[in-house]
Amino acid sequence: MKRVLLQKWTLSLFAAVSVFGLAACGSQPSSSTPSQPASQSTPAATTEPAAPKVAGTLSFYTSQPDADAASLIDAFSKKYPDVKVDLFRSGTEEVISRLQAEAQAGQVKADVLLVADAPTFVSLKKQDLLMPYTSPEAADIPAEWKDADGAYTGTKVMATVLAVNTSKVKALPDSWKVLTSPEAANKAIMPSPLYSGAAAYNVGVFTRQPDLGWDYISGLKTNQMTVIKGNGAVLKSVAGGEKDYGMVVDYLVARAKKDGSPVEIVYPKEGVPVITEPIGIMKATKNQEAAKAFVDFVLSEEGQKLASGLGYTPIRKGVAAPEGLYAQDQIKALSANIDELEASREADKKKFGEMMGGK
């Protein structure tokens, strides 16, 4: 009996194994279709969204000198040949006056704005005229020189210094107070805050320093300080020997000295006002992609090396300052609350004009 049961169990096991083997054979691919390991299977194709084309017309408003603006546009155009850049250039105050007139008419034509100082951009931000944009290139720019919301970003570091004609002044001064001393009477010149954004910023900063203040401006008046339209005219007067001393942005003095003019830069011991010539995109821009590309280029390493080559101290970390200028970490900057500077800007300009008769 046990032998019969064993034979039946053996036959059942044999049958089961045979069925399993046939099933396994049926699942094998034919010799004409080789198998492919699962790990080597071809993934489903994915389509990356195409980057928006950077083309069209870009309207650029700036207070940069003509040659600098032209160099910037030329370099950008080589990188983006399908973008035509239209330029409007004047002093900061005139650029902003035009922009405000356009805004009031509901027809802002500018796409990108680059002018002298941050308080100007603070005002435009409050008016909701700027488009927030945090450029990926802004990561290497110190936080104190860019807006936390991306409304604007500094593009360079420009200090207002003393320019001295070395043919006429043998002992270089070390203080701003030389401009109120007898030796500088009727021998000094400065730009008008009614025209220059840098000069307007300077007045705001100087008058908020405990050891300078409005008394310092009064002393300039007493000492017959000449007030002229812009920084370029100041430098020309000092380099040409018409005046011994000038209050002017540093890069102009460095350029003139490099070209052989008898001028020297003095960074006074009290410190110097610093502007960063910010850049921002107008909210009304009709070409966002080109505007963003322009901002990215200005803040990029390539754009900052271009700025250095033009004689400016770069604002981006890791890009060297040009010969003759302090690097950003060497500058002792005079400062004041930026919101206060913006709020009091027009009142400061009016008071300066009444005191000095600036034009």
Side-chain angles (χ1 to χ4, degrees):
M1 181 66 178
K2 291 181 178 178
R3 186 175 179 181
V4 173
L5 291 174
L6 179 60
Q7 288 176 339
K8 290 183 177 180
W9 181 87
T10 302
L11 289 172
S12 298
L13 178 61
F14 176 78
V17 171
S18 298
V19 172
F20 178 80
L22 289 171
C25 290
S27 68
Q28 295 297 316
S30 66
S31 59
S32 63
T33 309
S35 63
Q36 184 176 21
S39 61
Q40 297 180 6
S41 61
T42 303
T46 58
T47 303
E48 293 290 337
K53 183 174 176 61
V54 180
T57 300
L58 182 76
S59 181
F60 178 43
Y61 283 23
T62 186
S63 60
Q64 290 180 302
D66 287 313
D68 295 349
S71 294
L72 174 57
I73 292 170
D74 182 61
F76 174 78
S77 297
K78 288 178 180 176
K79 191 174 181 73
Y80 296 97
D82 294 329
V83 179
K84 178 182 181 294
V85 181
D86 289 337
L87 173 68
F88 171 66
R89 197 223 75 83
S90 189
T92 294
E93 300 303 313
E94 290 186 3
V95 171
I96 298 304
S97 292
R98 174 167 172 164
L99 193 63
Q100 294 286 11
E102 292 176 356
Q104 289 174 11
Q107 297 179 338
V108 173
K109 297 178 181 178
D111 294 300
V112 176
L113 175 70
L114 192 160
V115 292
D117 60 291
T120 297
F121 281 86
V122 171
S123 176
L124 295 174
K125 181 183 177 182
K126 288 181 178 179
Q127 297 173 61
D128 196 28
L129 292 176
L130 299 174
M131 183 188 87
Y133 174 58
T134 301
S135 168
E137 300 291 348
D140 289 322
I141 294 174
E144 63 268 27
W145 289 331
K146 58 189 177 184
D147 179 60
D149 300 320
Y152 58 88
T153 306
T155 65
K156 54 186 68 73
V157 178
M158 298 164 57
T160 289
V161 297
L162 275 174
V164 180
N165 184 300
T166 53
S167 295
K168 303 180 75 174
V169 179
K170 301 306 178 184
L172 293 179
D174 65 354
S175 170
W176 285 114
K177 293 181 180 179
V178 69
L179 299 180
T180 58
S181 69
E183 64 195 85
N186 200 28
K187 296 179 181 178
I189 188 169
M190 69 179 289
S192 171
L194 306 183
Y195 175 80
S196 164
Y201 179 82
N202 295 343
V203 168
V205 171
F206 278 134
T207 56
R208 283 162 180 79
Q209 305 305 311
D211 56 344
L212 294 171
W214 283 104
D215 286 344
Y216 181 65
I217 305 300
S218 179
L220 297 179
K221 171 66 175 178
T222 300
N223 226 28
Q224 297 179 290
M225 167 70 78
T226 298
V227 180
I228 200 166
K229 199 170 185 180
N231 280 275
V234 171
L235 189 279
K236 183 178 180 180
S237 181
V238 177
E242 181 183 340
K243 296 292 183 180
D244 294 3
Y245 306 92
M247 186 184 290
V248 64
V249 287
D250 57 359
Y251 74 91
L252 289 178
V253 191
R255 285 182 184 176
K257 181 180 177 180
K258 186 177 180 180
D259 291 341
S261 294
V263 291
E264 188 59 76
I265 294 174
V266 174
Y267 290 86
K269 60 186 179 183
E270 296 93 347
V272 292
V274 169
I275 58 171
T276 58
E277 215 168 56
I279 191 169
I281 299 173
M282 303 307 299
K283 192 172 184 178
T285 178
K286 297 177 178 61
N287 195 341
Q288 281 194 27
E289 297 307 322
K292 290 177 180 179
F294 194 86
V295 171
D296 291 347
F297 179 77
V298 171
L299 303 180
S300 70
E301 184 174 353
E302 182 182 355
Q304 289 291 289
K305 285 182 177 178
L306 172 65
S308 181
L310 292 173
Y312 299 102
T313 297
I315 199 168
R316 183 183 175 118
K317 296 176 182 176
V319 182
E323 183 180 356
L325 294 183
Y326 279 10
Q328 56 171 276
D329 58 357
Q330 295 177 295
I331 295 173
K332 179 182 178 182
L334 295 175
S335 61
N337 181 276
I338 193 168
D339 290 315
E340 182 182 345
L341 290 175
E342 184 274 327
S344 63
R345 187 183 187 96
E346 293 306 314
D348 288 346
K349 286 162 55 179
K350 181 179 179 182
K351 184 171 182 178
F352 179 92
E354 291 171 349
M355 291 177 66
M356 299 291 290
K359 45 185 175 177

